[in-house]
Amino acid sequence: MLRNRLIFGLIYNEGCFMQSRNFRLQRVGDINWLEKNYKFQKISFSMDELLVVDATRKEKNIDKFSETISRLVEDVFIPVTAGGGIRSIDDAEKLFNSGADKVLLNTPLYENEMLAKQIIARYGAQSLIASVDYKIIEHEPIVYIKDGTVSVPVAMEDYLKRLERLGVGEILFNSIEKDGTGFGYDIPNITKYANSVNVPFIILGGAGNGAHLNDGLNVEGVSGVATANLFNFIGNGLPKAREFMLNEGANLARWDNADF
Amino acid sequence: MKIVVVDYGMGNVKSVISAIRYLGFEDVILSNDSSILASADKLILPGVGNYAMAVKKIHELDLHSIIRELVLCKKIPILGICLGMQLIGRSSTEDGFHEGLALIDAKVEAFNSKGIKIPHVGYNQVEPVLNSRLYSGINTELDYYFTHSFRMQSEADICASRCVYGENFIASFEKNHIAGVQFHPELSQHNGLKLIRNFIEKF
């Protein structure tokens, strides 16, 4: 049976990793800090995938970001997705060449569909994750681009269907309002949209503990649960959450990580 | 032990190479030079992406006949990963009809089950046949990371493990010194590292 996935996200900003809350960023530490304090490779054995997003608000430097990806993926044997600020096929290529297995697009999905088509033609549909950020405005989930600053005048269901037609490999459904809160996922909207498209559906925004992650996985149609909550899951947090999830019966991959 | 990862410009080869190094095999090189390929003790054919484009690149780099000669005449062991596994077969119907390396008798076609999400993405369990060398000494439920929309079928008795996703398909094959895995061992934590080590040591 196909397993569900536990995906860990790192939010990157000008060389540092950040805690994001409602898309406002707080600096936590750089890559040396991550390796020194948290033995990143060790906690990578508790995740199914790694997602790294460049959320730099000023001019993004894709070369420097690529270097960070390259260091991060050393001795990490899970799929790595990188994104944030990809505006050309050359940008995407830099990230793939640095060790990314997939790239994440957000703004260009609306403003420049041709870029998504180029990535799919060269690297395959499975290599592209469509990031969909949304806020609830008058009870309706509204899609936002440009780091959550500009709304898109297309209804959520139509937008998701449009991404499916475009041929993206997966959808990352991210609640801006739940982002970094640790209060749990936006279950009502996730329930409403997870089965509206026939591509793998990953949710992000709000998970603060293992029970929240399992709540997400229990929604029909959800393929993966993601968290970028550094405060709650770094160190022992993630291994413990995974253990909790498995003990509660979550359908996650099992590995023989001892004896190596 | 010299391991050559065949470079034809498709997909993430960095993690394949770092997995081999992590296992302690330092003599690993990424190349498409025929003399370097000929000096290999083991060949690894990686690959992610479009079959038609991969076949085109393999021909452009004159790799088609070299790989066939090394594997079929000189009996150099080869492991195909994902698209690399599919290329080892005879043909694929991805974007038309395209002929592969034909090192084994197998064809590649799209999943034909209804009601499943495509691509097949994520960790899925594989069930090895008896005495498979690739899975030797791996004592778990055998989860491996898949990401693909096409899968291999064969009439020949080559299947080393099966996986279920809407239907039952070949997750890996072994035929003498030729092996292929539809999943990504380099992205499958210790289950995958052990499988790569088994290929290097047992083929």
Side-chain angles (χ1 to χ4, degrees), chain B residues 77-91:
Chain B
I78 188 168
L79 172 68
I81 297 175
C82 193
L83 180 59
M85 174 224 204
Q86 298 182 354
L87 288 166
I88 286 176
R90 274 192 189 289
S91 65

Side-chain angles (χ1 to χ4, degrees), chain A residues 38-179:
Chain A
Y38 293 112
K39 297 181 181 60
F40 191 70
Q41 196 211 334
K42 207 171 159 203
I43 68 164
S44 79
F45 285 119
S46 295
M47 44 182 105
D48 298 304
E49 290 189 35
L50 176 64
L51 170 70
V52 194
V53 180
D54 184 356
T56 305
R57 298 291 191 257
K58 287 182 254 165
E59 190 84 359
K60 296 188 207 239
N61 181 338
I62 201 118
D63 292 313
K64 202 167 166 226
F65 183 52
S66 299
E67 268 173 45
T68 303
I69 296 293
S70 183
R71 270 189 68 189
L72 213 49
V73 302
E74 277 299 313
D75 298 342
V76 169
F77 302 110
I78 49 173
V80 175
T81 302
I86 298 171
R87 292 296 176 267
S88 68
I89 188 83
D90 291 343
D91 289 347
E93 190 180 352
K94 279 178 189 165
L95 294 172
F96 282 119
N97 289 344
S98 304
D101 301 288
K102 317 180 202 184
V103 292
L104 184 76
L105 284 188
N106 184 316
T107 305
L109 294 170
Y110 184 69
E111 293 192 335
N112 179 13
E113 282 192 351
M114 189 44 82
L115 176 57
K117 286 180 183 163
Q118 282 177 308
I119 292 171
I120 291 166
R122 191 180 301 181
Y123 297 97
Q126 82 296 326
S127 71
L128 178 61
I129 302 187
S131 158
V132 178
D133 298 334
Y134 69 93
K135 270 187 235 182
I136 310 293
I137 310 280
E138 291 170 4
H139 311 292
E140 281 298 313
I142 304 295
V143 178
Y144 274 76
I145 55 173
K146 297 189 190 290
D147 295 312
T149 59
V150 177
S151 65
V152 169
V154 180
M156 179 62 83
E157 181 148 357
D158 296 339
Y159 194 72
L160 295 174
K161 291 247 189 294
R162 178 172 153 162
L163 295 176
E164 183 181 32
R165 277 196 304 276
L166 189 57
V168 304
E170 300 174 63
I171 285 170
L172 178 71
F173 193 67
N174 183 18
S175 163
I176 296 171
E177 280 138 331
K178 298 283 182 182
D179 175 54

Side-chain angles (χ1 to χ4, degrees), chain A residues 1 3 45 101-102 126, chain B residues 12 123 125 145 147 189:
Chain A
M1 182 173 45
R3 302 292 200 182
F45 285 119
D101 301 288
K102 317 180 202 184
Q126 82 296 326
Chain B
N12 180 8
Y123 293 86
Q125 295 101 307
Y145 187 80
T147 173
Q189 306 275 33

Side-chain angles (χ1 to χ4, degrees), chain B residues 93-168:
Chain B
T93 52
E94 183 175 356
D95 279 352
F97 179 85
H98 303 278
E99 290 182 2
L101 292 163
L103 303 177
I104 58 154
D105 186 13
K107 55 186 183 174
V108 177
E109 288 173 346
F111 279 107
N112 60 11
S113 306
K114 295 265 184 286
I116 53 170
K117 292 195 174 192
I118 297 291
H120 172 214
V121 182
Y123 293 86
N124 203 335
Q125 295 101 307
V126 307
E127 193 186 321
V129 299
L130 274 181
N131 302 323
S132 154
R133 284 169 288 166
L134 287 175
Y135 303 96
S136 167
I138 306 175
N139 302 312
T140 63
E141 293 175 61
L142 298 172
D143 275 296
Y144 288 94
Y145 187 80
F146 289 84
T147 173
H148 62 125
S149 304
F150 286 71
R151 83 287 187 256
M152 181 174 268
Q153 292 184 307
S154 179
E155 303 290 320
D157 185 22
I158 55 168
C159 182
S161 68
R162 297 203 159 273
C163 178
V164 178
Y165 188 62
E167 61 185 85
N168 200 308

